[in-house]
Protein backbone atom coordinates (compact mmCIF):
# COMPACT_ATOMS: atom_id res chain seq x y z
CA UNK A 1 0.00 0.00 0.00
CA UNK A 2 1.11 3.55 -0.66
CA UNK A 3 1.33 4.75 2.95
CA UNK A 4 1.80 8.36 1.85
CA UNK A 5 -1.92 8.45 0.98
CA UNK A 6 -3.00 7.71 4.55
CA UNK A 7 -3.13 11.30 5.87
CA UNK A 8 -5.40 12.40 3.02
CA UNK A 9 -7.60 9.30 3.29
CA UNK A 10 -7.99 9.58 7.07
CA UNK A 11 -8.97 13.23 6.75
CA UNK A 12 -11.93 12.42 4.52
CA UNK A 13 -15.39 13.03 5.88
CA UNK A 14 -17.33 9.78 5.85
CA UNK A 15 -20.89 10.32 4.61
CA UNK A 16 -23.69 8.51 6.47
CA UNK A 17 -23.97 4.95 5.22
CA UNK A 18 -27.13 3.39 3.76
CA UNK A 19 -28.57 -0.06 3.50
CA UNK A 20 -28.29 -1.59 0.05
CA UNK A 21 -31.67 -3.14 -0.67
CA UNK A 22 -32.90 -4.19 -4.10
CA UNK A 23 -30.05 -2.28 -5.72
CA UNK A 24 -30.92 0.97 -3.94
CA UNK A 25 -29.33 2.96 -1.15
CA UNK A 26 -31.95 3.20 1.59
CA UNK A 27 -32.28 4.69 5.05
CA UNK A 28 -33.92 2.78 7.90
CA UNK A 29 -37.70 2.58 7.46
CA UNK A 30 -38.14 4.81 10.53
CA UNK A 31 -35.17 7.05 9.66
CA UNK A 32 -33.19 6.08 12.76
CA UNK A 33 -29.41 5.80 12.72
CA UNK A 34 -26.64 4.42 14.90
CA UNK A 35 -23.54 6.49 15.61
CA UNK A 36 -20.26 5.02 14.41
CA UNK A 37 -17.50 5.88 16.88
CA UNK A 38 -13.91 5.40 15.75
CA UNK A 39 -11.90 3.29 18.21
CA UNK A 40 -8.82 5.28 17.13
CA UNK A 41 -9.84 8.40 19.07
CA UNK A 42 -13.39 7.92 20.29
CA UNK A 43 -14.70 10.51 17.81
CA UNK A 44 -17.91 10.22 15.84
CA UNK A 45 -17.00 8.93 12.38
CA UNK A 46 -20.41 8.77 10.72
CA UNK A 47 -23.74 6.99 11.10
CA UNK A 48 -25.29 3.81 9.75
CA UNK A 49 -28.99 3.08 9.40
CA UNK A 50 -30.41 1.49 12.54
CA UNK A 51 -32.17 -1.20 10.54
CA UNK A 52 -35.67 -2.32 11.47
CA UNK A 53 -37.24 -5.73 11.09
CA UNK A 54 -39.15 -4.19 8.17
CA UNK A 55 -35.82 -3.30 6.48
CA UNK A 56 -34.60 -6.86 6.93
CA UNK A 57 -37.86 -8.17 5.48
CA UNK A 58 -37.58 -5.84 2.46
CA UNK A 59 -34.06 -7.10 1.81
CA UNK A 60 -35.13 -10.73 2.18
CA UNK A 61 -38.05 -10.17 -0.20
CA UNK A 62 -35.67 -8.62 -2.70
CA UNK A 63 -33.21 -11.52 -2.39
CA UNK A 64 -36.12 -13.99 -2.66
CA UNK A 65 -37.44 -12.52 -5.92
CA UNK A 66 -33.93 -12.13 -7.31
CA UNK A 67 -33.36 -15.82 -6.65
CA UNK A 68 -36.75 -17.04 -7.82
CA UNK A 69 -36.71 -15.16 -11.14
CA UNK A 70 -33.27 -16.57 -11.96
CA UNK A 71 -31.69 -13.22 -12.79
CA UNK A 72 -28.47 -14.48 -11.25
CA UNK A 73 -28.71 -18.26 -10.80
CA UNK A 74 -29.84 -18.84 -14.38
CA UNK A 75 -27.19 -16.67 -15.99
CA UNK A 76 -24.63 -18.68 -17.94
CA UNK A 77 -21.86 -19.54 -15.45
CA UNK A 78 -19.36 -17.62 -17.57
CA UNK A 79 -21.47 -14.46 -17.20
CA UNK A 80 -21.62 -14.79 -13.41
CA UNK A 81 -17.89 -15.36 -13.41
CA UNK A 82 -17.29 -12.25 -15.50
CA UNK A 83 -19.35 -10.06 -13.15
CA UNK A 84 -17.64 -11.41 -10.05
CA UNK A 85 -14.18 -10.95 -11.55
CA UNK A 86 -15.13 -7.38 -12.45
CA UNK A 87 -16.28 -6.91 -8.86
CA UNK A 88 -12.90 -8.12 -7.59
CA UNK A 89 -11.16 -5.67 -9.95
CA UNK A 90 -13.24 -2.76 -8.62
CA UNK A 91 -12.45 -3.71 -5.02
CA UNK A 92 -8.76 -3.95 -5.87
CA UNK A 93 -8.81 -0.52 -7.50
CA UNK A 94 -10.26 0.92 -4.29
CA UNK A 95 -8.24 -1.20 -1.88
CA UNK A 96 -6.45 1.70 -0.16
CA UNK A 97 -9.66 3.66 0.38
CA UNK A 98 -11.40 0.56 1.72
CA UNK A 99 -8.50 -0.33 4.00
CA UNK A 100 -8.37 3.12 5.61
CA UNK A 101 -12.15 3.36 5.92
CA UNK A 102 -12.23 -0.05 7.57
CA UNK A 103 -9.46 0.83 10.01
CA UNK A 104 -11.23 4.05 11.01
CA UNK A 105 -14.30 1.93 11.68
CA UNK A 106 -12.83 -1.10 13.47
CA UNK A 107 -9.28 -0.23 14.60
CA UNK A 108 -7.13 -2.98 13.01
CA UNK A 109 -3.57 -1.83 12.28
CA UNK A 110 -3.27 -0.76 8.66
CA UNK A 111 -0.36 -3.07 7.76
CA UNK A 112 -2.49 -6.08 8.60
CA UNK A 113 -5.81 -4.59 7.48
CA UNK A 114 -4.68 -3.79 3.94
CA UNK A 115 -3.72 -7.41 3.26
CA UNK A 116 -6.32 -9.11 5.42
CA UNK A 117 -9.24 -6.96 4.37
CA UNK A 118 -9.58 -5.57 0.80
CA UNK A 119 -6.80 -7.68 -0.68
CA UNK A 120 -8.04 -10.87 0.90
CA UNK A 121 -11.58 -10.07 -0.30
CA UNK A 122 -10.21 -9.64 -3.83
CA UNK A 123 -8.37 -12.97 -3.64
CA UNK A 124 -11.36 -14.78 -2.18
CA UNK A 125 -13.85 -13.44 -4.70
CA UNK A 126 -11.50 -14.32 -7.58
CA UNK A 127 -10.95 -17.79 -6.15
CA UNK A 128 -14.66 -18.57 -6.12
CA UNK A 129 -15.47 -16.70 -9.34
CA UNK A 130 -12.89 -18.75 -11.20
CA UNK A 131 -14.51 -21.95 -9.94
CA UNK A 132 -17.99 -21.10 -11.23
CA UNK A 133 -17.63 -22.76 -14.63
CA UNK A 134 -15.64 -25.70 -13.29
CA UNK A 135 -18.26 -27.24 -11.02
CA UNK A 136 -19.67 -30.39 -12.60
CA UNK A 137 -22.57 -32.58 -11.62
CA UNK A 138 -22.15 -36.35 -11.53
CA UNK A 139 -23.50 -39.43 -13.26
CA UNK A 140 -24.14 -42.27 -10.86
CA UNK A 141 -22.79 -45.80 -11.51
CA UNK A 142 -26.24 -47.30 -12.07
CA UNK A 143 -27.43 -50.52 -13.71
CA UNK A 144 -27.94 -50.12 -17.50
CA UNK A 145 -31.71 -49.63 -17.25
CA UNK A 146 -31.43 -46.37 -15.29
CA UNK A 147 -29.61 -43.08 -15.42
CA UNK A 148 -28.87 -41.32 -12.14
CA UNK A 149 -27.87 -37.68 -12.52
CA UNK A 150 -26.65 -35.69 -9.54
CA UNK A 151 -27.25 -31.98 -10.08
CA UNK A 152 -25.70 -29.24 -7.97
CA UNK A 153 -28.15 -26.41 -7.46
CA UNK A 154 -27.88 -23.17 -5.51
CA UNK A 155 -29.65 -23.42 -2.13
CA UNK A 156 -31.55 -20.14 -2.57
CA UNK A 157 -31.49 -17.13 -0.26
CA UNK A 158 -28.53 -16.97 2.11
CA UNK A 159 -28.56 -14.88 5.29
CA UNK A 160 -25.02 -13.94 6.31
CA UNK A 161 -24.30 -12.40 9.71
CA UNK A 162 -20.69 -11.35 10.21
CA UNK A 163 -18.52 -9.87 12.97
CA UNK A 164 -16.36 -6.77 13.31
CA UNK A 165 -12.81 -8.08 13.45
CA UNK A 166 -12.28 -8.73 9.72
CA UNK A 167 -15.51 -7.69 7.98
CA UNK A 168 -14.23 -7.86 4.40
CA UNK A 169 -12.24 -11.05 4.84
CA UNK A 170 -14.97 -12.96 6.67
CA UNK A 171 -17.72 -11.31 4.61
CA UNK A 172 -16.10 -12.44 1.38
CA UNK A 173 -15.59 -15.96 2.74
CA UNK A 174 -19.41 -16.11 2.78
CA UNK A 175 -20.24 -13.92 -0.23
CA UNK A 176 -17.67 -15.45 -2.59
CA UNK A 177 -18.97 -19.03 -2.61
CA UNK A 178 -22.63 -18.06 -2.02
CA UNK A 179 -22.77 -15.75 -5.03
CA UNK A 180 -20.58 -18.00 -7.16
CA UNK A 181 -23.01 -20.85 -6.48
CA UNK A 182 -25.86 -18.68 -7.80
CA UNK A 183 -27.47 -17.86 -4.46
CA UNK A 184 -28.72 -14.42 -3.45
CA UNK A 185 -27.71 -12.90 -0.14
CA UNK A 186 -28.88 -10.69 2.70
CA UNK A 187 -25.80 -9.61 4.63
CA UNK A 188 -25.85 -8.15 8.16
CA UNK A 189 -22.54 -6.56 9.12
CA UNK A 190 -21.59 -5.94 12.74
CA UNK A 191 -22.66 -2.60 14.22
CA UNK A 192 -19.01 -1.54 14.66
CA UNK A 193 -17.76 -2.60 11.21
CA UNK A 194 -20.40 -1.99 8.55
CA UNK A 195 -18.92 0.72 6.36
CA UNK A 196 -16.66 -1.32 4.08
CA UNK A 197 -19.26 -4.03 3.50
CA UNK A 198 -21.83 -1.46 2.41
CA UNK A 199 -19.25 -0.15 -0.07
CA UNK A 200 -18.56 -3.71 -1.25
CA UNK A 201 -22.24 -4.09 -2.12
CA UNK A 202 -22.20 -0.79 -4.04
CA UNK A 203 -19.22 -2.04 -6.03
CA UNK A 204 -21.07 -5.29 -6.75
CA UNK A 205 -23.81 -3.27 -8.43
CA UNK A 206 -21.22 -1.30 -10.40
CA UNK A 207 -19.71 -4.61 -11.54
CA UNK A 208 -23.03 -5.70 -13.02
CA UNK A 209 -24.19 -8.08 -10.29
CA UNK A 210 -27.96 -7.53 -10.61
CA UNK A 211 -29.97 -5.59 -7.99
CA UNK A 212 -31.38 -7.81 -5.25
CA UNK A 213 -28.59 -10.38 -5.51
CA UNK A 214 -26.53 -8.85 -2.71
CA UNK A 215 -28.42 -6.83 -0.09
CA UNK A 216 -26.83 -5.30 3.00
CA UNK A 217 -28.87 -4.28 6.04
CA UNK A 218 -27.04 -2.53 8.87
CA UNK A 219 -28.13 -2.22 12.48
CA UNK A 220 -28.44 -4.23 15.64
CA UNK A 221 -28.04 -7.96 15.81
CA UNK A 222 -31.04 -8.37 18.05
CA UNK A 223 -33.27 -6.64 15.47
CA UNK A 224 -31.87 -7.11 11.95
CA UNK A 225 -29.93 -10.31 12.66
CA UNK A 226 -32.85 -11.80 14.51
CA UNK A 227 -35.28 -10.97 11.67
CA UNK A 228 -33.01 -12.75 9.18
CA UNK A 229 -32.68 -15.75 11.48
CA UNK A 230 -36.46 -15.99 11.99
CA UNK A 231 -37.37 -15.56 8.33
CA UNK A 232 -39.19 -18.28 6.43
CA UNK A 233 -37.67 -16.98 3.19
CA UNK A 234 -34.04 -17.48 4.15
CA UNK A 235 -32.85 -20.96 3.19
CA UNK A 236 -29.40 -21.02 4.76
CA UNK A 237 -27.87 -18.94 7.52
CA UNK A 238 -24.10 -18.50 7.73
CA UNK A 239 -22.60 -16.82 10.76
CA UNK A 240 -19.31 -15.88 12.38
CA UNK A 241 -19.45 -14.52 15.93
CA UNK A 242 -20.05 -15.48 19.52
CA UNK A 243 -21.34 -18.79 20.84
CA UNK A 244 -24.23 -17.05 22.58
CA UNK A 245 -25.50 -15.60 19.30
CA UNK A 246 -24.85 -18.90 17.53
CA UNK A 247 -27.19 -20.65 19.96
CA UNK A 248 -29.89 -18.03 19.32
CA UNK A 249 -29.60 -18.60 15.60
CA UNK A 250 -30.10 -22.34 16.00
CA UNK A 251 -33.18 -21.69 18.14
CA UNK A 252 -34.52 -19.23 15.56
CA UNK A 253 -34.04 -21.83 12.84
CA UNK A 254 -35.89 -24.43 14.93
CA UNK A 255 -38.75 -21.95 15.54
CA UNK A 256 -39.06 -20.94 11.90
CA UNK A 257 -38.29 -22.97 8.78
CA UNK A 258 -35.45 -25.25 9.93
CA UNK A 259 -33.04 -23.32 7.72
CA UNK A 260 -29.57 -24.81 7.76
CA UNK A 261 -27.29 -22.87 10.11
CA UNK A 262 -23.50 -22.84 9.74
CA UNK A 263 -21.59 -21.35 12.64
CA UNK A 264 -18.02 -20.19 13.13
CA UNK A 265 -17.83 -19.40 16.83
CA UNK A 266 -14.25 -18.57 17.64
CA UNK A 267 -11.82 -20.47 19.79
CA UNK A 268 -9.35 -20.74 22.59
CA UNK A 269 -6.58 -22.11 20.47
CA UNK A 270 -3.59 -23.90 22.01
CA UNK A 271 -0.13 -23.06 20.70
CA UNK A 272 2.17 -25.86 21.84
CA UNK A 273 5.91 -25.32 22.02
CA UNK A 274 8.14 -28.36 22.56
CA UNK A 275 11.74 -27.93 23.70
CA UNK A 276 12.84 -29.46 20.38
CA UNK A 277 11.25 -26.67 18.31
CA UNK A 278 13.54 -25.92 15.37
CA UNK A 279 14.11 -22.31 16.37
CA UNK A 280 12.79 -20.99 19.67
CA UNK A 281 13.44 -17.36 18.74
CA UNK A 282 11.32 -17.74 15.61
CA UNK A 283 8.69 -19.63 17.64
CA UNK A 284 8.50 -16.78 20.15
CA UNK A 285 8.28 -14.11 17.46
CA UNK A 286 5.52 -15.88 15.50
CA UNK A 287 3.65 -16.91 18.66
CA UNK A 288 3.61 -13.29 19.86
CA UNK A 289 2.27 -12.15 16.49
CA UNK A 290 -0.24 -15.02 16.59
CA UNK A 291 -1.91 -13.58 19.68
CA UNK A 292 -1.13 -9.86 19.70
CA UNK A 293 -1.69 -8.73 16.08
CA UNK A 294 -5.02 -6.94 15.68
CA UNK A 295 -4.95 -6.80 19.49
CA UNK A 296 -5.89 -10.46 19.68
CA UNK A 297 -9.17 -9.92 17.84
CA UNK A 298 -8.61 -12.88 15.56
CA UNK A 299 -10.78 -15.98 15.75
CA UNK A 300 -7.83 -18.36 15.34
CA UNK A 301 -5.59 -16.37 17.75
CA UNK A 302 -3.18 -18.66 19.61
CA UNK A 303 -4.39 -17.53 23.00
CA UNK A 304 -3.24 -20.48 25.13
CA UNK A 305 0.48 -21.08 25.11
CA UNK A 306 1.44 -24.57 26.24
CA UNK A 307 5.17 -24.81 26.70
CA UNK A 308 7.41 -27.70 27.70
CA UNK A 309 8.50 -27.15 31.30
CA UNK A 310 12.28 -27.21 30.61
CA UNK A 311 12.05 -24.11 28.44
CA UNK A 312 9.09 -22.40 30.17
CA UNK A 313 10.96 -19.55 31.85
CA UNK A 314 13.32 -18.81 28.97
CA UNK A 315 10.50 -18.92 26.43
CA UNK A 316 8.20 -16.68 28.47
CA UNK A 317 11.06 -14.19 28.73
CA UNK A 318 11.39 -14.09 24.94
CA UNK A 319 7.65 -13.61 24.58
CA UNK A 320 7.58 -10.81 27.12
CA UNK A 321 10.34 -9.08 25.16
CA UNK A 322 8.28 -9.35 21.95
CA UNK A 323 5.13 -8.16 23.69
CA UNK A 324 6.89 -5.14 25.15
CA UNK A 325 8.55 -4.29 21.83
CA UNK A 326 5.24 -4.16 19.99
CA UNK A 327 4.15 -0.76 18.82
CA UNK A 328 0.58 -0.47 20.05
CA UNK A 329 -1.41 2.58 19.08
CA UNK A 330 -2.78 4.57 16.16
CA UNK A 331 -3.74 1.86 13.68
CA UNK A 332 -3.18 4.25 10.78
CA UNK A 333 0.49 4.69 11.65
CA UNK A 334 2.25 2.20 9.33
CA UNK A 335 4.71 1.33 12.12
CA UNK A 336 1.95 0.11 14.44
CA UNK A 337 1.70 -3.63 14.84
CA UNK A 338 -1.27 -3.77 17.23
CA UNK A 339 -4.06 -1.26 16.70
CA UNK A 340 -7.11 -0.40 18.76
CA UNK A 341 -9.48 -2.68 20.60
CA UNK A 342 -12.70 -2.47 18.60
CA UNK A 343 -14.91 -0.86 21.23
CA UNK A 344 -15.08 0.37 24.79
CA UNK A 345 -17.35 -2.58 25.59
CA UNK A 346 -14.77 -5.07 24.31
CA UNK A 347 -11.93 -3.35 26.17
CA UNK A 348 -13.81 -3.45 29.48
CA UNK A 349 -14.57 -7.12 28.90
CA UNK A 350 -10.84 -7.82 28.34
CA UNK A 351 -9.87 -5.94 31.49
CA UNK A 352 -12.43 -7.84 33.56
CA UNK A 353 -10.62 -11.09 32.69
CA UNK A 354 -7.35 -9.55 33.91
CA UNK A 355 -8.88 -8.27 37.16
CA UNK A 356 -10.21 -11.73 37.86
CA UNK A 357 -6.84 -13.38 37.17
CA UNK A 358 -5.06 -10.84 39.33
CA UNK A 359 -7.54 -11.40 42.17
CA UNK A 360 -6.89 -15.14 41.93
CA UNK A 361 -3.17 -14.47 42.38
CA UNK A 362 -2.10 -15.19 38.80
CA UNK A 363 1.07 -13.58 37.55
CA UNK A 364 0.70 -10.79 35.00
CA UNK A 365 4.11 -11.13 33.33
CA UNK A 366 3.51 -8.07 31.18
CA UNK A 367 0.67 -5.71 30.23
CA UNK A 368 -2.74 -6.10 31.82
CA UNK A 369 -3.71 -2.46 31.45
CA UNK A 370 -5.52 0.00 29.28
CA UNK A 371 -3.04 2.37 27.61
CA UNK A 372 -3.11 5.60 25.59
CA UNK A 373 -6.35 6.71 27.23
CA UNK A 374 -5.41 10.33 26.49
CA UNK A 375 -6.01 9.63 22.77
CA UNK A 376 -9.70 8.97 23.46
CA UNK A 377 -9.23 5.60 21.75
CA UNK A 378 -9.47 2.05 23.10
CA UNK A 379 -6.03 0.47 23.47
CA UNK A 380 -4.68 -2.33 25.59
CA UNK A 381 -1.11 -3.45 26.31
CA UNK A 382 -0.19 -6.93 25.06
CA UNK A 383 -0.68 -9.11 28.11
CA UNK A 384 0.87 -12.38 29.25
CA UNK A 385 -0.53 -14.24 32.25
CA UNK A 386 1.44 -17.13 33.77
CA UNK A 387 0.79 -19.49 36.66
CA UNK A 388 -2.81 -20.04 35.54
CA UNK A 389 -4.96 -23.07 36.30
CA UNK A 390 -6.79 -25.09 33.65
CA UNK A 391 -10.22 -24.11 34.99
CA UNK A 392 -9.55 -20.36 35.27
CA UNK A 393 -12.06 -18.39 33.21
CA UNK A 394 -9.15 -16.66 31.41
CA UNK A 395 -7.98 -20.12 30.25
CA UNK A 396 -11.41 -21.51 29.39
CA UNK A 397 -13.21 -18.58 27.74
CA UNK A 398 -12.39 -16.69 24.59
CA UNK A 399 -11.15 -13.24 25.66
CA UNK A 400 -10.89 -11.85 22.11
CA UNK A 401 -8.22 -9.41 23.18
CA UNK A 402 -4.39 -9.22 23.42
CA UNK A 403 -4.21 -11.71 26.26
CA UNK A 404 -2.04 -14.83 26.31
CA UNK A 405 -2.14 -17.43 29.07
CA UNK A 406 0.81 -19.75 29.64
CA UNK A 407 0.75 -23.31 30.99
CA UNK A 408 3.67 -25.72 31.35
CA UNK A 409 3.61 -29.43 30.41
CA UNK A 410 6.05 -32.31 30.86
CA UNK A 411 4.96 -34.90 28.31
CA UNK A 412 3.34 -35.10 24.91
CA UNK A 413 0.26 -36.73 26.47
CA UNK A 414 -0.06 -33.87 28.93
CA UNK A 415 0.22 -31.35 26.12
CA UNK A 416 -2.57 -33.12 24.23
CA UNK A 417 -4.77 -33.28 27.33
CA UNK A 418 -4.34 -29.57 28.02
CA UNK A 419 -4.83 -28.68 24.35
CA UNK A 420 -8.05 -30.67 24.07
CA UNK A 421 -9.35 -29.64 27.49
CA UNK A 422 -11.44 -26.89 25.96
CA UNK A 423 -15.00 -26.50 24.73
CA UNK A 424 -13.53 -24.98 21.58
CA UNK A 425 -11.69 -26.57 18.66
CA UNK A 426 -10.83 -24.03 16.00
CA UNK A 427 -7.06 -23.82 15.57
CA UNK A 428 -3.80 -25.00 17.14
CA UNK A 429 -0.05 -24.66 16.72
CA UNK A 430 2.70 -27.21 17.28
CA UNK A 431 6.40 -26.34 17.35
CA UNK A 432 8.73 -29.32 17.09
CA UNK A 433 11.52 -30.62 14.86
CA UNK A 434 10.41 -34.21 15.44
CA UNK A 435 8.46 -35.15 12.32
CA UNK A 436 6.75 -38.15 13.92
CA UNK A 437 5.65 -36.06 16.88
CA UNK A 438 4.29 -33.37 14.54
CA UNK A 439 2.12 -35.94 12.75
CA UNK A 440 0.97 -37.52 16.00
CA UNK A 441 -0.07 -34.11 17.29
CA UNK A 442 -1.89 -33.21 14.06
CA UNK A 443 -3.98 -36.36 14.49
CA UNK A 444 -4.62 -36.00 18.21
CA UNK A 445 -5.46 -32.31 18.54
CA UNK A 446 -9.15 -31.50 18.23
CA UNK A 447 -9.12 -28.49 15.93
CA UNK A 448 -10.07 -27.48 12.40
CA UNK A 449 -6.53 -26.37 11.58
CA UNK A 450 -3.21 -27.39 13.14
CA UNK A 451 -0.25 -25.19 12.24
CA UNK A 452 3.19 -26.78 12.44
CA UNK A 453 6.25 -24.59 13.05
CA UNK A 454 4.24 -21.52 12.16
CA UNK A 455 1.00 -19.89 13.28
CA UNK A 456 -1.66 -18.45 10.94
CA UNK A 457 -1.29 -17.63 7.28
CA UNK A 458 -3.28 -20.57 5.86
CA UNK A 459 -4.53 -19.26 2.52
CA UNK A 460 -7.84 -19.51 0.67
CA UNK A 461 -6.98 -22.96 -0.79
CA UNK A 462 -7.63 -24.75 2.52
CA UNK A 463 -10.84 -24.96 4.56
CA UNK A 464 -11.37 -23.25 7.91
CA UNK A 465 -13.80 -25.00 10.16
CA UNK A 466 -14.36 -25.55 13.82
CA UNK A 467 -15.01 -28.70 15.79
CA UNK A 468 -16.74 -28.93 19.19
CA UNK A 469 -18.21 -25.53 20.19
CA UNK A 470 -16.15 -23.68 17.58
CA UNK A 471 -18.89 -24.46 15.10
CA UNK A 472 -19.56 -26.42 11.94
CA UNK A 473 -19.32 -26.10 8.17
CA UNK A 474 -16.34 -24.76 6.24
CA UNK A 475 -15.32 -21.36 5.04
CA UNK A 476 -12.60 -21.12 2.35
CA UNK A 477 -11.53 -23.60 -0.33
CA UNK A 478 -13.85 -25.38 -2.75
CA UNK A 479 -15.38 -27.19 0.27
CA UNK A 480 -17.11 -23.88 1.09
CA UNK A 481 -19.45 -24.57 -1.83
CA UNK A 482 -21.04 -27.43 0.13
CA UNK A 483 -23.03 -24.89 2.17
CA UNK A 484 -24.44 -23.14 -0.88
CA UNK A 485 -25.11 -26.01 -3.31
CA UNK A 486 -27.79 -28.64 -2.87
CA UNK A 487 -27.44 -32.06 -4.44
CA UNK A 488 -30.48 -33.06 -6.46
CA UNK A 489 -30.94 -36.51 -7.92
CA UNK A 490 -32.63 -37.16 -11.23
CA UNK A 491 -33.51 -40.86 -11.66
CA UNK A 492 -34.37 -41.72 -15.24
CA UNK A 493 -35.61 -45.05 -16.56
CA UNK A 494 -33.94 -46.00 -19.78
P1 LIG B 1 -19.50 -10.03 19.54
O1 LIG B 1 -19.92 -10.20 20.97
O2 LIG B 1 -18.10 -10.41 19.28
O3 LIG B 1 -19.87 -8.72 18.94
P2 LIG B 1 -21.81 -11.26 18.37
O4 LIG B 1 -22.10 -12.70 18.18
O5 LIG B 1 -22.66 -10.48 19.30
O6 LIG B 1 -20.29 -11.17 18.75
O7 LIG B 1 -21.83 -10.50 16.97
C1 LIG B 1 -21.58 -11.08 15.71
C2 LIG B 1 -22.68 -10.67 14.75
O8 LIG B 1 -23.91 -11.22 15.23
C3 LIG B 1 -22.88 -9.17 14.64
O9 LIG B 1 -23.19 -8.85 13.30
C4 LIG B 1 -24.07 -8.94 15.54
O10 LIG B 1 -24.82 -7.79 15.19
C5 LIG B 1 -24.88 -10.19 15.29
N1 LIG B 1 -25.85 -10.50 16.36
C6 LIG B 1 -25.76 -10.18 17.67
N2 LIG B 1 -26.85 -10.62 18.35
C7 LIG B 1 -27.65 -11.22 17.44
C8 LIG B 1 -28.94 -11.87 17.51
N3 LIG B 1 -29.62 -11.97 18.64
N4 LIG B 1 -29.45 -12.38 16.37
C9 LIG B 1 -28.78 -12.30 15.21
N5 LIG B 1 -27.58 -11.69 15.07
C10 LIG B 1 -27.01 -11.15 16.17
Amino acid sequence: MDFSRIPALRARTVPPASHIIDGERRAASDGNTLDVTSPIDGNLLTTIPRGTAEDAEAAILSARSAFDDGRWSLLPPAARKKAMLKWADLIEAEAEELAVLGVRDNGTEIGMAFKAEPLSAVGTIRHFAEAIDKIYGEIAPTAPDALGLIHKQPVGVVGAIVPWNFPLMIGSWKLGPALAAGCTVVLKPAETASLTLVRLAELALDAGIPPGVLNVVTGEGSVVGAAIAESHDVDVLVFTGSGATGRRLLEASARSNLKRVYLELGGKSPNIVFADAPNLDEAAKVSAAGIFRNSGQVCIAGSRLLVERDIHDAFVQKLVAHAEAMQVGDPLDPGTNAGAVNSERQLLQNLAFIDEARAAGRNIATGGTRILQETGGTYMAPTIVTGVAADDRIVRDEVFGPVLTVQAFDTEDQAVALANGSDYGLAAGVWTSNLSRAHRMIKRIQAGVVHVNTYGGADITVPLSGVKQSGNGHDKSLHAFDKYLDLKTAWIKI
Side-chain angles (χ1 to χ4, degrees), residues 185-337:
V185 179
V186 178
L187 175 72
K188 207 303 261 169
E191 294 85 322
T192 52
S194 295
L195 304 175
T196 53
L197 282 170
V198 170
R199 182 65 191 143
L200 216 66
E202 291 175 341
L203 292 175
L205 291 167
D206 294 348
I209 295 177
V213 172
L214 170 55
N215 303 275
V216 179
V217 185
T218 65
E220 288 150 325
S222 55
V223 178
V224 177
I228 295 171
E230 296 278 353
S231 171
H232 283 259
D233 275 317
V234 170
D235 300 297
V236 163
L237 191 58
V238 290
F239 172 75
T240 299
S242 65
T245 302
R247 281 169 211 276
R248 284 195 197 101
L249 300 182
L250 289 169
E251 286 166 8
S253 164
R255 266 196 308 272
S256 54
N257 61 343
L258 292 175
K259 59 180 69 63
R260 273 169 255 160
V261 181
Y262 297 101
L263 306 170
E264 201 271 77
L265 304 175
K268 190 73 189 177
S269 299
N271 182 28
I272 308 166
V273 182
F274 287 95
D276 66 2
N279 178 340
L280 287 171
D281 289 324
E282 172 72 6
K285 186 171 137 218
V286 176
S287 299
I291 176 64
F292 297 132
R293 294 297 306 271
N294 198 20
S295 291
Q297 301 165 131
V298 178
C299 35
I300 64 160
S303 54
R304 281 191 296 145
L305 179 74
L306 309 181
V307 57
E308 196 164 344
R309 196 174 308 277
D310 293 351
I311 58 164
H312 175 278
D313 293 355
F315 195 74
V316 169
Q317 234 174 33
K318 286 182 206 293
L319 274 176
V320 167
H322 282 294
E324 292 178 353
M326 289 196 80
Q327 184 176 325
V328 185
D330 182 353
L332 287 173
D333 174 343
T336 292
N337 38 37

Side-chain angles (χ1 to χ4, degrees), residues 271 286 290 298 300-302 427-429 431 449-459:
N271 182 28
V286 176
V298 178
I300 64 160
W431 299 81
V449 51
V450 180
H451 306 92
V452 177
N453 296 332
T454 188
Y455 202 94
D459 69 19

